Amino acid sequence: MSSQKEDKEKFVHQVFESVAPKYDLMNSLLSFRRHKAWRAFTMKKMNVQEKQTAIDVCCGTGDWTISIAQKVGENGQVIGLDFSQNMLEVGEQKRSNQGLNQIKFVHGNAMDLPYESDRFDYATIGFALRNVPDIKQVLREMGRVVKPGGMVVSLELSQPVWPPFRALYFFYFNRILPLMGKLFANRYEQYSWLPESLKGFPDSKELAAIFEEVGLTRVETYLLMGGIAALHIGYKSEV
């Protein structure tokens, strides 16, 4: 891994370790609770069935992990993997409170998933792909561990396509959001990272092309709320 990628990984790790206690609160405040609706839309498109298996990469505090686990039921299995131990501890408390024994939280690296190939029905990553050191490597790993015909799913912030809305969006992201981070979580620098993380991140069309470049097929793209977020779904070839 290059020095620049290592520096990014260390910084992002520090950010998420520090914001873990208020991560869920800030997600709801900063997205005006829309992240829940976006995830519900994604779950509908995924159509998860009982007894299936999934790995939720960069799972954070485990909200999406839990949503998937509720669908696969007690005879399914869901792995929630993250490199922040503090985030995983919050997720583990949620899992314990809800008695979801089909979930296992694992401390690990999205760049090198500790699982054999062709294992899971789904590999998901939510609001985290922009934070990884190498997008293509993470998507390759996600594609590797799903079964032939399996689904790789990314739900991520994106960039609005309508110019006036786009300008308002970036004003909020660059000026207002870090101030809210300071006000509600006493974390200005960490929430300044959020708009910074979108700079240079592929737009929805570019990300769809990357899905195809790493070998995923039948790539679907859905723009949510005018492009504030984007859902990308790709499938592992069955041949």
Side-chain angles (χ1 to χ4, degrees):
M1 192 186 302
S2 69
S3 176
Q4 186 175 9
K5 289 179 180 179
E6 288 176 351
D7 289 345
K8 177 179 179 179
E9 186 174 34
K10 289 177 182 178
F11 177 75
V12 172
H13 182 263
Q14 177 268 323
V15 166
F16 284 99
E17 287 281 80
S18 67
V19 302
K22 293 195 174 181
Y23 179 78
D24 292 336
L25 168 66
M26 293 306 296
N27 261 2
S28 292
L29 283 173
L30 299 177
S31 73
F32 303 101
R33 294 182 63 85
R34 296 311 299 162
H35 69 102
K36 296 179 182 292
W38 297 336
R39 190 165 61 246
F41 175 85
T42 301
M43 289 295 294
K44 186 175 180 180
K45 291 296 180 183
M46 289 171 63
N47 192 28
V48 178
Q49 302 296 308
E50 288 190 1
K51 300 182 181 180
Q52 288 190 307
T53 58
I55 180 168
D56 187 21
V57 178
C58 303
C59 66
T61 59
D63 280 354
W64 198 358
T65 319
I66 288 169
S67 293
I68 298 170
Q70 290 168 340
K71 291 291 185 181
V72 303
E74 60 184 16
N75 293 316
Q77 183 190 40
V78 184
I79 302 295
L81 180 139
D82 203 279
F83 71 165
S84 168
Q85 190 62 48
N86 289 349
M87 296 286 246
L88 290 172
E89 287 173 5
V90 176
E92 177 58 30
Q93 187 61 55
K94 293 178 185 177
R95 184 209 65 75
S96 178
N97 290 344
Q98 297 187 44
L100 295 170
N101 295 325
Q102 63 268 42
I103 293 176
K104 181 180 180 182
F105 284 109
V106 174
H107 188 253
N109 189 340
M111 301 273 286
D112 184 18
L113 299 177
Y115 296 97
E116 68 273 17
S117 300
D118 306 331
R119 171 164 176 172
F120 301 99
D121 294 299
Y122 302 90
T124 61
I125 184 165
F127 305 110
L129 193 58
R130 69 186 184 280
N131 293 323
V132 302
D134 188 326
I135 294 170
K136 293 178 184 177
Q137 175 62 18
V138 170
L139 290 175
R140 285 192 195 98
E141 278 291 276
M142 292 172 70
R144 179 183 66 79
V145 299
V146 294
K147 301 171 183 177
M151 190 182 290
V152 173
V153 184
S154 168
L155 177 60
E156 184 55 272
L157 295 175
S158 191
Q159 302 176 22
V161 292
W162 188 46
F165 185 38
R166 184 184 179 97
L168 181 64
Y169 171 78
F170 278 107
F171 175 79
Y172 169 74
F173 245 53
N174 289 301
R175 301 293 182 86
I176 306 300
L177 187 148
L179 293 176
M180 291 178 69
K182 181 173 178 60
L183 178 64
F184 291 102
N186 197 30
R187 292 286 188 275
Y188 182 86
E189 180 186 7
Q190 288 84 348
Y191 283 93
S192 296
W193 165 251
L194 191 53
E196 188 67 28
S197 68
L198 273 177
K199 293 180 181 177
F201 185 72
D203 64 22
S204 57
K205 291 182 179 179
E206 292 168 335
L207 187 54
I210 292 173
F211 265 60
E212 293 175 348
E213 183 182 339
V214 301
L216 297 168
T217 64
R218 294 183 285 143
V219 178
E220 304 168 14
T221 302
Y222 301 91
L223 298 183
L224 307 175
M225 206 172 166
I228 286 181
L231 167 63
H232 289 77
I233 297 174
Y235 296 83
K236 184 170 184 173
S237 174
E238 297 190 57
V239 292

